[in-house]
Amino acid sequence: MSDKSKDEPESAASTAEQRAVSTSEGGVGSPYDSPTGELPTVGKAKMTKEIPRTDDELGLDPDVDAPTAGAAAAKSSDPDATYAYASIPPAAAPPAGGATNRVRRRNGENRRGTLDLGLFLLRLVVGGTFLYHGMQKLAGWFDGPGIDGTREMMEKGGWDHPSLSAAMLIAGEVGGGILLILGLATPLAAGAVLAVILDAWAWKQGMHPDFQYTQGKGAVEVETILAGTAAVIILTGPGRWALDRNRGWATRPAWGSFAVLLLAIAAAAGAWWYLHGGNPLVGIGPFD
């Protein structure tokens, strides 16, 4: 009798499992295939309490402030609306400029080939030429006239305030030449030498009645070449082989460099008008 009573719970459990299995297709399944069916016992105790399925059964109060489906759809169509429940984290900040440039160079991006070397050689030639002539006027090197001789030359050439004119000429040639060689403050340095050489071009041309580009004492070939190369350096920048290599104008010159070019031309015109005067183009004959 006792043996029969011990087997009754196991028989009941097996019967429940058979009923659950029989509800699946093909007679193969699991006791959990039918969620509304009778669950098997866990151990020797039956689950008599029903599983809560609603907010009332869970003891939760309805959220009266929760947006309805229609309100959520209307809000999502508004481009100015913000998502109140979640936000996309902002993108990580890019690395610093130096790190970015190193990564680009390592990945083979922004290859410049021999461009930086070419700009370096151009700066050496142009800056060295102006420094050479400036030291002739400043210290009398290379058989130059020195400061006194330069002042006298400016006075005979028709320049007002010859001391000021000589000082501006020497400062532009020596200072601009050194800065060009170093690639430091390059737009200003190239602008300074450009203003100097434009006034030298006007002075040399104004002393002769006819336009002589390559012949005679009034030839302005050298001055024209130096003025052109100074303008090129302003517009291209000094390149990466310069102390300005981390500046924007070194490799990415834009409207600022063009503005410096215009200012240099304006400075040359203003200095010529104030310190010398006259029209240097008067008397230029026709081209042959």
Side-chain angles (χ1 to χ4, degrees):
M1 184 70 180
S2 60
D3 295 338
K4 185 176 180 181
S5 61
K6 292 179 180 179
D7 295 334
E8 287 179 356
E10 298 177 358
S11 300
S14 61
T15 302
E17 293 176 359
Q18 291 175 1
R19 284 200 304 268
V21 170
S22 64
T23 58
S24 61
E25 296 181 359
V28 179
S30 168
Y32 304 99
D33 288 341
S34 179
T36 60
E38 183 180 352
L39 296 175
T41 59
V42 179
K44 293 184 178 181
K46 292 185 178 180
M47 296 180 62
T48 59
K49 188 175 180 180
E50 295 184 358
I51 299 175
R53 294 182 175 84
T54 65
D55 292 343
D56 294 336
E57 293 178 359
L58 291 172
L60 299 177
D61 295 331
D63 188 1
V64 296
D65 296 332
T68 61
K75 187 175 183 179
S76 63
S77 63
D78 186 2
D80 297 331
T82 56
Y83 190 58
Y85 301 100
S87 61
I88 301 175
T100 303
N101 293 335
R102 288 194 296 271
V103 171
R104 289 177 177 175
R105 287 195 295 269
R106 187 163 55 246
N107 294 337
E109 299 178 11
N110 295 338
R111 294 183 180 273
R112 293 170 62 87
T114 59
L115 179 59
D116 296 313
L117 175 60
L119 291 174
F120 173 68
L121 293 178
L122 181 63
R123 289 186 358 251
L124 285 183
V125 172
V126 177
T129 300
F130 279 99
L131 180 60
Y132 173 87
H133 289 287
M135 294 308 297
Q136 281 184 316
K137 300 176 180 65
L138 177 62
W141 294 359
F142 315 113
D143 298 326
I147 295 179
D148 294 334
T150 302
R151 185 187 302 110
E152 182 179 356
M153 177 184 64
M154 302 295 286
E155 185 177 4
K156 290 182 178 179
W159 290 85
D160 299 331
H161 312 288
S163 297
L164 176 61
S165 301
M168 293 177 63
L169 174 62
I170 293 173
E173 289 185 342
V174 175
I178 293 175
L179 291 177
L180 276 181
I181 294 173
L182 297 177
L184 180 63
T186 309
L188 299 179
V193 298
L194 176 60
V196 167
I197 201 63
L198 286 177
D199 280 342
W201 189 98
W203 181 27
K204 196 171 185 179
Q205 172 58 48
M207 291 188 297
H208 301 275
D210 298 324
F211 181 75
Q212 301 290 335
Y213 185 73
T214 60
Q215 300 174 355
K217 295 182 179 181
V220 292
E221 180 181 15
V222 175
E223 288 77 9
T224 303
I225 294 174
L226 289 176
T229 52
V232 167
I233 294 175
I234 293 175
L235 296 177
T236 61
R240 290 174 176 163
W241 289 24
L243 295 181
D244 284 338
R245 59 183 174 272
N246 293 327
R247 302 291 184 181
W249 63 68
T251 56
R252 301 181 304 277
W255 64 269
S257 297
F258 186 74
V260 171
L261 176 63
L262 296 180
L263 288 175
I265 297 174
W272 175 264
W273 171 80
Y274 178 71
L275 296 174
H276 194 282
N279 184 2
L281 302 180
V282 173
I284 295 179
F287 292 99
D288 296 331

